[in-house]
Amino acid sequence: MPKGAKELLKKLEYDFENIEYLDIALTHSSFVNEHISKTNNVSNERFEFLGDAVLDLIIGEYFFRSDESLREGKLSKLRSEVVNEQSLAKVSNELKLGSFIKFGKGELKSGGNQRESILADALEALIGAIYLDSDLETITKIVLKLFENILKEAESKKNFTDYKSRLQENLQQYNKNVVEYVLDKEEGPDNNKLFYSSVKVDGEVVGCGSGKTKKKSEQIAAKRALLKLGEKNV
Amino acid sequence: MPKGAKELLKKLEYDFENIEYLDIALTHSSFVNEHISKTNNVSNERFEFLGDAVLDLIIGEYFFRSDESLREGKLSKLRSEVVNEQSLAKVSNELKLGSFIKFGKGELKSGGNQRESILADALEALIGAIYLDSDLETITKIVLKLFENILKEAESKKNFTDYKSRLQENLQQYNKNVVEYVLDKEEGPDNNKLFYSSVKVDGEVVGCGSGKTKKKSEQIAAKRALLKLGEKNV
């Protein structure tokens, strides 16, 4: 078992049946390249391939189940906000994976244990290793816990800002494309203004809204338009 | 249940617990667009999103487990030979999915039930629907059966022609890059020639081979080089 890995397993709340899987997940190819004489050294690249597919399914299914009204394009976008190098490296850092990975001397010298891409790949490899060692249900629970904050963040962005784009997507479905936002009026003093906007689709007003910024009033108008169009979970 | 779908389920050897999932998987967005007043009509696009991830994992894991010596790049390549529009449309046609899909009138008129992209998408949606209705184990069995011939084909190509590229990949791992094939001699009459080749790595001969074509002799030479380099499962 890699040095200090006990702490890692405790954080993951997982015990490996095949502990060599953990070893492989934490072996960077630079280490294998420097030790080619020992033929049983295997790098984590194959596990990363597997883990990548496992992670895509877990996060994709999470958003799929989270909201029935989310269409395909939005699901892809939400997933890519969670499954990307930066987010993966962040989770990897929280687990301190960089300190457990076996590197070649050259790679370590050049700071490989802090490189985002390497940290992200190692997390995918670890996910692949746990999946291989257990099953989809087990790794799903672990992944959803590890990504809890990142998932929440992606969802809150979705809820907060997305009525306008959701309306646009929704209308494309009906082959209606000309969406126009009109600022109807502004009220109040400069430091406490209220904006009133309406949204027109093919020239017809389908929603009105007010808010403390122009953008907010448009969002509310889009939300009302979505309700009018019968979209659930608005 | 869609007309004639009993036959489809028999072919799949699967019974839906939630038969509405099958309905959704077989509903093209053009149908929904023509029936926007009935708000409970849902197209198969969300299921396609889910099925796509399920299929990537199943086929990726299949190749991952099939041969321990396959490296990451080769695994990706093999998967993309199986998971692509053309292969999916082929399987979709074998299931006659085109005849079960609900289309809008316009799409049907323009031949949507024969369009490869639509047939491929519907198969992914069907895979997503079965996964949602059951579990990964169940859909894995069904997918591996449906793709049996396509998987065999991809594997036979791999076994037949790939020693040269595998050697190339293998050597990249060791930062050895200069691979050269040399035709040493040709023997025999024109209609029954035998070719002798050797493969050099960084100037050193690492394998020799003979065959009825120059290409074959190089493949054998590459295979012997792989054996010499200690690659298993050559």
Side-chain angles (χ1 to χ4, degrees):
Chain A
M1 188 160 30
K3 265 189 216 171
K6 259 193 186 169
E7 195 197 340
L8 173 65
L9 295 176
K10 211 175 150 190
K11 265 193 199 163
L12 295 169
E13 294 179 41
Y14 184 74
D15 274 318
F16 274 89
E17 201 163 305
N18 306 286
I19 193 73
E20 67 271 24
Y21 290 171
L22 177 61
D23 250 326
I24 294 172
L26 297 174
T27 302
H28 187 253
S29 56
S30 61
F31 180 85
V32 180
N33 297 346
E34 282 189 9
H35 300 76
I36 45 172
S37 55
K38 297 177 196 163
T39 48
N40 56 346
N41 271 325
V42 176
S43 86
N44 65 5
E45 290 177 343
R46 277 167 48 84
F47 278 26
E48 179 204 333
F49 169 84
L50 187 64
D52 174 72
V54 171
L55 187 60
D56 263 0
L57 174 57
I58 292 174
I59 304 299
E61 183 173 354
Y62 174 84
F63 285 121
F64 178 95
R65 290 185 186 273
S66 74
D67 185 345
E68 276 190 21
S69 74
L70 290 173
R71 303 197 63 212
E72 192 195 8
K74 187 69 194 164
L75 288 171
S76 294
K77 203 177 154 207
L78 278 167
R79 178 167 59 190
S80 68
E81 271 173 33
V82 173
V83 183
N84 60 57
E85 192 173 292
Q86 209 186 349
S87 299
L88 266 66
K90 197 178 161 196
V91 174
S92 201
N93 268 324
E94 283 163 10
L95 292 171
K96 296 181 188 155
L97 279 196
S99 64
F100 302 127
I101 301 171
K102 285 194 282 185
F103 287 102
K105 282 174 197 163
E107 188 63 56
L108 195 59
K109 228 174 171 178
S110 71
N113 61 342
Q114 285 159 38
R115 196 163 298 144
E116 275 200 346
S117 62
I118 288 178
L119 293 173
D121 291 350
L123 180 64
E124 286 188 328
L126 180 63
I127 289 168
I130 296 174
Y131 170 69
L132 206 62
D133 192 61
S134 60
D135 52 36
L136 184 61
E137 205 186 324
T138 306
I139 185 61
T140 298
K141 276 184 204 154
I142 292 172
V143 164
L144 293 183
K145 209 178 152 198
L146 288 177
F147 284 81
E148 200 178 357
N149 291 331
I150 293 168
L151 286 167
K152 270 189 196 159
E153 206 179 310
E155 280 182 313
S156 70
K157 267 199 231 165
K158 174 199 88 177
N159 290 332
F160 187 66
T161 63
D162 211 46
Y163 297 117
K164 281 177 73 172
S165 9
R166 212 197 269 183
L167 179 62
Q168 189 70 46
E169 284 172 32
N170 200 309
L171 290 166
Q172 270 161 8
Q173 189 182 1
Y174 303 131
N175 298 317
K176 288 185 191 278
N177 288 311
V178 189
V179 181
E180 188 191 359
Y181 289 85
V182 182
L183 181 63
D184 295 320
K185 59 176 174 177
E186 302 173 33
E187 268 182 9
D190 267 1
N191 64 345
N192 195 19
K193 242 182 202 160
L194 205 56
F195 295 82
Y196 293 84
S197 289
S198 55
V199 51
K200 290 180 178 181
V201 175
D202 291 348
E204 189 190 334
V205 174
V206 287
C208 299
S210 60
K212 296 211 162 185
T213 65
K214 183 168 165 257
K215 197 177 161 193
K216 226 165 212 172
S217 69
E218 291 176 354
Q219 286 290 345
I220 307 283
K223 184 177 179 177
R224 297 233 167 99
L226 280 165
L227 283 166
K228 200 177 168 190
L229 289 166
E231 185 174 309
K232 294 169 205 164
N233 304 322
V234 171
Chain B
M1 187 159 32
K3 266 189 215 170
K6 258 192 187 170
E7 197 197 337
L8 173 65
L9 294 177
K10 215 175 146 190
K11 266 193 200 163
L12 295 169
E13 296 179 39
Y14 185 74
D15 274 320
F16 273 89
E17 202 162 305
N18 305 286
I19 192 72
E20 68 271 22
Y21 290 170
L22 177 62
D23 251 327
I24 294 172
L26 297 174
T27 301
H28 187 251
S29 56
S30 62
F31 180 86
V32 180
N33 297 346
E34 280 187 10
H35 299 77
I36 46 172
S37 56
K38 297 176 195 163
T39 47
N40 56 347
N41 270 327
V42 176
S43 86
N44 64 5
E45 288 175 344
R46 276 168 47 85
F47 278 27
E48 180 204 331
F49 169 82
L50 187 63
D52 175 70
V54 171
L55 188 59
D56 262 0
L57 174 57
I58 292 174
I59 303 299
E61 184 174 354
Y62 174 83
F63 285 122
F64 178 94
R65 289 184 186 273
S66 74
D67 185 344
E68 275 190 21
S69 74
L70 291 173
R71 304 195 63 210
E72 193 195 10
K74 187 69 195 167
L75 289 170
S76 294
K77 204 177 153 206
L78 277 167
R79 177 166 63 191
S80 69
E81 272 172 32
V82 172
V83 184
N84 60 58
E85 192 173 291
Q86 209 187 349
S87 299
L88 266 66
K90 199 178 161 196
V91 173
S92 201
N93 268 323
E94 283 164 10
L95 292 171
K96 295 180 188 154
L97 279 195
S99 64
F100 302 127
I101 301 170
K102 285 194 282 188
F103 287 102
K105 282 173 198 164
E107 188 63 55
L108 195 59
K109 231 177 171 175
S110 70
N113 60 343
Q114 284 157 38
R115 195 164 297 143
E116 275 201 344
S117 62
I118 289 177
L119 293 173
D121 290 351
L123 181 63
E124 286 188 328
L126 180 62
I127 290 168
I130 296 175
Y131 170 70
L132 205 61
D133 193 61
S134 59
D135 52 36
L136 185 61
E137 204 186 325
T138 306
I139 186 60
T140 297
K141 278 185 200 152
I142 292 172
V143 164
L144 293 184
K145 210 179 151 198
L146 288 176
F147 283 81
E148 200 179 358
N149 292 332
I150 293 168
L151 286 167
K152 271 188 197 162
E153 208 179 309
E155 281 184 314
S156 69
K157 265 199 233 167
K158 173 200 86 175
N159 291 331
F160 188 65
T161 63
D162 210 45
Y163 297 117
K164 281 176 72 173
S165 7
R166 211 197 270 181
L167 178 63
Q168 188 71 48
E169 286 172 30
N170 199 307
L171 290 166
Q172 272 163 6
Q173 189 182 358
Y174 303 132
N175 297 317
K176 290 186 189 278
N177 287 313
V178 188
V179 181
E180 186 192 359
Y181 289 86
V182 182
L183 181 63
D184 296 319
K185 60 176 175 178
E186 301 173 33
E187 268 182 5
D190 267 6
N191 64 343
N192 195 19
K193 243 184 200 159
L194 204 57
F195 295 82
Y196 293 83
S197 289
S198 54
V199 52
K200 289 181 178 179
V201 176
D202 290 349
E204 189 190 334
V205 174
V206 287
C208 300
S210 61
K212 294 209 163 186
T213 63
K214 180 167 166 256
K215 197 177 161 192
K216 227 165 212 174
S217 68
E218 290 175 354
Q219 286 291 341
I220 306 283
K223 185 177 177 178
R224 298 235 167 99
L226 281 164
L227 282 166
K228 198 176 167 190
L229 289 167
E231 186 174 307
K232 293 169 207 165
N233 302 322
V234 174

